[in-house]
Every structure is written in C-alpha cells, then in structure tokens.
Amino acid sequence: MADEPSVPETHPRHASIEQRHLIEVGVESGITSMQGLVAQGRGEAFDYLIGERTIESAREAERVAACHLLLADHAVLSVNGNVAALVPELIIELAEVTGADIEVNIFNRTEERLHAIVHHLRDHGATDVKGLAGDGRIPGLKQNRAKVDADGIYDADVVLVPLEDGNRAEALSDMGKTELVIDLNPLSRSAQVSAVPIVDNIVRALPNMIADARDLRDESTDHLEHIVNGFDREAALTDAENTIRAGSLELA
Ligand code: PTJ
C-alpha cells in the first residue's frame, strides 16, 4: 500500500496531499478507478484557484441541499469510487442524519469494483447499501452507464451526485429528479444542470451539510421550503466562476 504522506500539518498542501493519498489507496484497493486519479487532479486545480476554502455561495448551497434532503420523499446519496475513497464515514453520517439511502453507482462499472465499494462502506459502518441490483435504467444512457437500483436512484425524488460525469447528471435531471451536485468545476455540465450546484471540495462540503441537517431537521416544512425557494442557482454558479477568475488573476 502507498506510504502515508510524511508532510507536517503546517505544510500549505497538507490537505490536498492527504486527499491524494486516500485516492492512491483507493486505486490500490480496487475502489477507485485510474480515471478517478485524473478526476482528483482536475478537482485539485479548481480547488487551488478557489483558495481551498468554502466560498459563501457554496456554503449557502450546502444548506439548501441539506433542506432538500430533509424534505425529500426518497433521497439517495450516490457513491462512486472517488467518494468512497475520500469520505466513507461522512457519507454514512449524512445518510443517517437525513434518512437518505446510500447507493453505489459508478461510471466505469465493473462487478468487482461495485462489490469492493459496498464492502468498504460496510466496513465503515454502513448497514444498508444499494447498488448491486442494477435493475433500473436511466433513460437515454447506454448499457452499463444506465444501470441503477429500481428501489434506489431510479425511484428517488432527490439525488446527491458528487463528482459525477456530465452525461449521467444530465440524464438524471431529465428524469425530473432534484439533483444536488458537488463539483469543484462550476462550468462542468453536472454543476450546470443541477438544481443545487455545490462548488466546493467534497471533504469540506459534507461536514457542512451534516451540521446543517442536524441544525434544521426539527424545523417545519414551511421553513425548509422557504430556504429552498430563496436559492438562486445561477447566482451561485456565477459567484464560483468569478471567484476562480479572481483567483487566477491573483496568482498571475
Ligand atoms: O468511480 P467511477 O467509475 O464512478 O468514476 C468516478 C469519476 C470521478 C472518475 C467519474 O465520475 C468522472 O469521470 O468524473 P469527471 O467527469 O472527471 O468529473 C469529476 C468532477 O469532479 C470534475 O469536474 C472535478 O473537477 C470534480 N472533482 C474532483 N475531485 C473533487 C471534485 N469536486 C469536489 N471535490 C473533490 N474532491
């Protein structure tokens, strides 16, 4: 297995080096795909320009996403190879706090990796993990990429899809689902088609969403709907784009 990184916590790249290590271990243990390594690098570049912090508009989106999860009839948190490697405990905690289901749903689908991710989540304490049935189909996608669980993502009204491929995000949104997307790239199709684009690193977004869900879970439906209705997704995307532009000018 890859050696633990030996950089001190004061090192400016400490957090990103730790995340790289988790992804590296994920690849070695058969959870994360090789493409997942590349995706992590892409995310890192955007995070660098954002300043490796949660910007205000993302923080608002996280609160709104927590409201959607609490308001849902059937919410599902979709887990791929990168999510499983980076934040297994946090996904389980968010599911517990909001009552959402967890479904392993991977872009580069193989039975081996599906089973490895399900076992990995169970090892971290998940009791009920969907994704192995693959008996539902997302319309408009081909073969393996269309597969979801009929009583999971197919049935859900609200879906959290972190670090998702654009085609699949678009197809899910076309099914009329309320899609909550965590993606550091505000220009990605996934972020663009989502009801709630959360332009933040998943390692920072999930703790915020868990705290929000705890804070809001006893509030009335009216109160949660009021927060949801006040959200402007276009403004959130524009703010993230502007932050990235300003970040690159500052670096230049
Ligand atoms: O495990 P699989 O087979 O489902 O594959 C997972 C990946 C991520 C490889 C697959 O979904 C994929 O190819 O995704 P994309 O199209 O590369 O999109 C991933 C998006 O996530 C990119 O826009 C990245 O900027 C973003 N991203 C990467 N790491 C993070 C991130 N966003 C938030 N937090 C991160 N840590």
Side-chain angles (χ1 to χ4, degrees), residues 35-36 39-40 42-43 46 80-82 86 106-108 113 163-165 183-185 200-202:
Q35 289 195 13
Q40 171 69 18
R42 189 142 61 122
F46 284 104
N80 65 21
N82 287 49
L86 289 172
I106 56 181
F107 178 65
N108 299 298
R113 206 152 61 82
L163 288 59
E164 182 58 279
D165 160 74
D183 193 320
L184 277 158
N185 178 4
D200 198 4
N201 194 317
I202 190 167

Side-chain angles (χ1 to χ4, degrees), residues 89-127:
E89 290 99 349
L90 293 174
I91 279 287
I92 294 165
E93 198 177 343
L94 182 62
E96 279 167 5
V97 180
T98 59
D101 280 338
I102 296 176
E103 177 166 340
V104 177
N105 194 254
I106 56 181
F107 178 65
N108 299 298
R109 189 180 174 104
T110 66
E111 288 304 312
E112 292 81 355
R113 206 152 61 82
L114 266 183
H115 280 90
I117 297 173
V118 169
H119 286 132
H120 178 69
L121 292 172
R122 287 189 185 140
D123 287 348
H124 281 84
T127 46

Side-chain angles (χ1 to χ4, degrees), residues 157-228:
D157 56 340
V158 175
V159 197
L160 176 73
V161 280
L163 288 59
E164 182 58 279
D165 160 74
N167 264 1
R168 295 210 311 172
E170 199 163 20
L172 281 171
S173 156
D174 288 347
M175 285 176 84
K177 298 185 188 300
T178 299
E179 208 170 4
L180 319 172
V181 164
I182 302 174
D183 193 320
L184 277 158
N185 178 4
L187 300 170
S188 78
R189 209 148 28 105
S190 308
Q192 296 279 337
V193 299
S194 66
V196 183
I198 302 166
V199 184
D200 198 4
N201 194 317
I202 190 167
V203 304
R204 296 189 299 267
L206 289 189
N208 289 339
M209 289 170 68
I210 291 165
D212 289 339
R214 283 222 165 85
D215 181 36
L216 291 162
R217 67 180 158 184
D218 296 326
E219 294 290 347
S220 66
T221 300
D222 276 358
H223 184 76
L224 299 181
E225 281 175 352
H226 179 72
I227 296 174
V228 162

Side-chain angles (χ1 to χ4, degrees), residues 10-37:
T10 49
H11 190 289
R13 301 258 73 73
H14 182 265
S16 78
I17 290 169
E18 263 196 339
Q19 287 161 45
R20 281 184 190 181
H21 176 65
L22 290 172
I23 293 286
E24 215 181 351
V25 172
V27 171
E28 285 178 349
S29 56
I31 289 167
T32 310
S33 69
M34 291 298 273
Q35 289 195 13
L37 275 174

